[in-house]
Amino acid sequence: MKRSGRRSGKPDTKEEILTAARRLFAEHGFESVSVRRIAADAGVDPALIHHYFGTKDDLFLAAIELPIDPGPEIAAALRAGGLEGAGGRLMHTFVSIWDGPHHDKLVAVARTAVSKPAMSLMFRKLFERRIVKTISEVIGDEVDHVHVRANFIGSQIFGIIMTRYILKLEPMASLDAEELAETIGPTIDRYLTMPVEHIAARH
Amino acid sequence: MKRSGRRSGKPDTKEEILTAARRLFAEHGFESVSVRRIAADAGVDPALIHHYFGTKDDLFLAAIELPIDPGPEIAAALRAGGLEGAGGRLMHTFVSIWDGPHHDKLVAVARTAVSKPAMSLMFRKLFERRIVKTISEVIGDEVDHVHVRANFIGSQIFGIIMTRYILKLEPMASLDAEELAETIGPTIDRYLTMPVEHIAARH
DNA sequence: CCATTAATTCATCTGTTGATGAATTCGACC
DNA sequence: GGTCGAATTCATCAACAGATGAATTAATGG
């Protein structure tokens, strides 16, 4: 029967808390998860969470550990070849990132962006300042109105994120990166090359 | 100074509550809105809400008033012409529905589907049982593997819903139905006609 | 005009939430 | 080996959640 006080050994409790927080935030979203629940999952007293991280918002920020900068990977994917096939490479990059070790963080952000205005804003900024900017810089001189194009591309990618990682619809959820890139790639290619003056003109 | 008891006249308080609920649920999502807040917005005592609708879940269900059946409109759009242009007509139909009087209900459902598992399930069922089924019935003999195709179409439509109605990114949020249909249409057309055996084979 | 029923509010309960401060235990350092 | 600081828990708060039952007022039908 452990009473109170410090534990034996040197357990990395801080990291255990973060892991539990990431898992739960990703699975249920920010408001549906209580600090107590996270503490229970981490096998820790709730007060310890506040001791380490402060408020619940602070814990969330620590758990998602922004900024995750996908800029370089996107740029590399775009530079790996010409405009043809760029969509497939882009899609493959995205899915790889989301399937990778940052999965829980990213899903947590996406889920929370839908219900928490501050997170929604952060999402928008991340999209505009990293993704759109990177795309612009890399292929901005081969193509016009990159901002509009990037938003259409974003709409398709966001749809994949939702159906694959949040709603987990089949077959989206279980396709692998190659299949998705192959199937979605041409859509993105088209958004990169189609004429968009009539839309861009209205800013 | 009004104390308690019944009000004069015949105000449609029930509907005022539902309207406030729809607005708030659409704007903030289910868990972020309290019964008290809805009551305040409707200018009513919180107890009245429970009196009329029972639990908060019941209120939500009453507010979104399912099922909204988009089947007929989708079927009509598909039947209005051949396979070419079907994507544009489909997109136009969707955007018109979401921009129409059911806007708040639909946004409320979409927002809540991301954080509430029960709503997520309802969303999936609505998608499979209404949309996929309708598409299958109407063009199922012109095209194979409709289920897989419908899911790719769904991913693009869901992306539009998210960027346009939830995150409200520009220019998505302010384009009109025609422009969206024109731009997204070909994407959907492609998902309707591209080969998908390799994906469908894995079920 | 009286009785019934519907509409509305009040006061209140219970559970949960995020959060705090004091108390306890352990590790590390000199 | 005593001291100091870090780690951990306990008990507890105030705010707010959803919910309930009784009390009050108005409309309605006979």
Side-chain angles (χ1 to χ4, degrees):
Chain A
M1 58 189 75
K2 67 180 174 199
R3 295 287 298 160
S4 77
R6 187 170 189 162
R7 287 184 195 164
S8 307
K10 41 178 84 82
D12 198 357
T13 314
K14 218 165 160 181
E15 199 53 46
E16 273 172 34
I17 293 174
L18 286 176
T19 305
R22 274 184 211 114
R23 244 204 40 240
L24 291 169
F25 283 144
E27 197 166 354
H28 308 290
F30 181 79
E31 18 257 332
S32 300
V33 177
S34 65
V35 172
R36 286 168 157 86
R37 174 75 194 280
I38 296 171
D41 264 45
V44 164
D45 188 279
L48 190 57
I49 292 185
H50 289 113
H51 171 65
Y52 275 135
F53 302 99
T55 144
K56 187 188 177 187
D57 281 306
D58 294 339
L59 169 64
F60 184 80
L61 291 179
I64 62 179
E65 185 192 283
L66 292 181
I68 302 158
D69 188 2
E73 290 188 64
I74 293 175
L78 288 178
R79 273 194 262 265
L83 259 190
E84 52 268 76
R89 298 196 303 275
L90 204 57
M91 193 68 213
H92 191 277
T93 303
F94 261 97
V95 176
S96 296
I97 293 177
W98 279 73
D99 283 340
H102 295 295
H103 173 274
D104 278 357
K105 291 186 214 169
L106 292 166
V107 173
V109 173
R111 259 226 167 78
T112 306
V114 172
S115 59
K116 220 176 178 241
M119 210 36 52
S120 170
L121 194 70
M122 173 183 292
F123 207 82
R124 176 152 64 231
K125 279 186 179 171
L126 192 134
F127 177 64
E128 308 233 326
R129 295 232 255 262
R130 303 278 166 185
I131 300 181
V132 176
K133 190 152 167 275
T134 302
I135 296 180
S136 289
E137 286 172 357
V138 178
I139 61 172
D141 46 348
E142 302 180 52
V143 133
D144 58 345
H145 306 303
V146 187
H147 181 79
V148 173
R149 297 179 190 284
N151 271 277
F152 277 98
I153 295 171
S155 82
Q156 175 61 88
I157 290 179
F158 210 83
I160 294 294
I161 289 175
M162 282 292 143
T163 54
R164 179 180 175 89
Y165 300 105
I166 309 277
L167 297 178
K168 301 197 180 80
L169 299 181
E170 291 300 340
M172 287 304 160
S174 51
L175 290 179
D176 52 49
E178 280 72 24
E179 284 170 312
L180 269 176
E182 200 180 319
T183 310
I184 306 283
T187 292
I188 297 179
D189 286 338
R190 190 180 142 262
Y191 292 152
L192 278 175
T193 57
M194 69 184 180
V196 291
E197 286 78 23
H198 51 118
I199 291 176
R202 319 184 345 166
H203 194 173
Chain B
M1 59 189 76
K2 67 183 176 199
R3 295 286 300 160
S4 77
R6 187 172 188 160
R7 287 183 195 165
S8 307
K10 41 178 83 82
D12 198 355
T13 314
K14 218 164 161 179
E15 200 54 45
E16 273 172 35
I17 292 173
L18 285 177
T19 305
R22 272 184 212 113
R23 242 204 41 240
L24 290 169
F25 283 144
E27 198 166 351
H28 307 290
F30 181 78
E31 17 256 332
S32 300
V33 178
S34 65
V35 172
R36 287 169 154 85
R37 173 74 194 279
I38 296 172
D41 263 46
V44 165
D45 189 279
L48 190 57
I49 293 185
H50 289 114
H51 171 65
Y52 275 135
F53 301 99
T55 145
K56 187 188 176 187
D57 282 304
D58 294 338
L59 169 63
F60 184 80
L61 290 179
I64 62 178
E65 185 191 279
L66 292 181
I68 302 157
D69 188 1
E73 290 188 66
I74 293 174
L78 289 178
R79 273 195 263 264
L83 259 190
E84 53 266 78
R89 298 197 303 277
L90 204 57
M91 193 68 215
H92 191 277
T93 304
F94 261 97
V95 176
S96 296
I97 293 177
W98 279 73
D99 282 339
H102 295 295
H103 174 273
D104 278 358
K105 291 185 214 169
L106 292 166
V107 174
V109 173
R111 259 225 168 78
T112 306
V114 171
S115 59
K116 223 179 174 237
M119 208 40 49
S120 170
L121 194 70
M122 173 182 290
F123 207 83
R124 177 153 62 229
K125 279 187 178 169
L126 191 136
F127 178 64
E128 308 233 325
R129 296 233 255 261
R130 302 279 166 185
I131 300 180
V132 177
K133 192 153 165 274
T134 303
I135 296 179
S136 289
E137 286 172 358
V138 179
I139 61 172
D141 46 349
E142 301 180 54
V143 132
D144 58 347
H145 306 304
V146 187
H147 181 77
V148 173
R149 296 179 190 285
N151 271 276
F152 277 98
I153 295 171
S155 82
Q156 175 62 88
I157 290 179
F158 211 84
I160 294 294
I161 289 174
M162 282 293 142
T163 53
R164 179 181 174 88
Y165 301 104
I166 310 278
L167 296 179
K168 302 196 178 82
L169 299 182
E170 290 301 342
M172 287 305 160
S174 49
L175 291 178
D176 53 48
E178 280 72 24
E179 283 170 312
L180 269 176
E182 199 180 317
T183 310
I184 307 283
T187 293
I188 297 178
D189 286 339
R190 188 178 144 261
Y191 292 152
L192 278 175
T193 56
M194 69 184 180
V196 292
E197 286 78 22
H198 52 119
I199 290 176
R202 320 185 345 168
H203 193 170

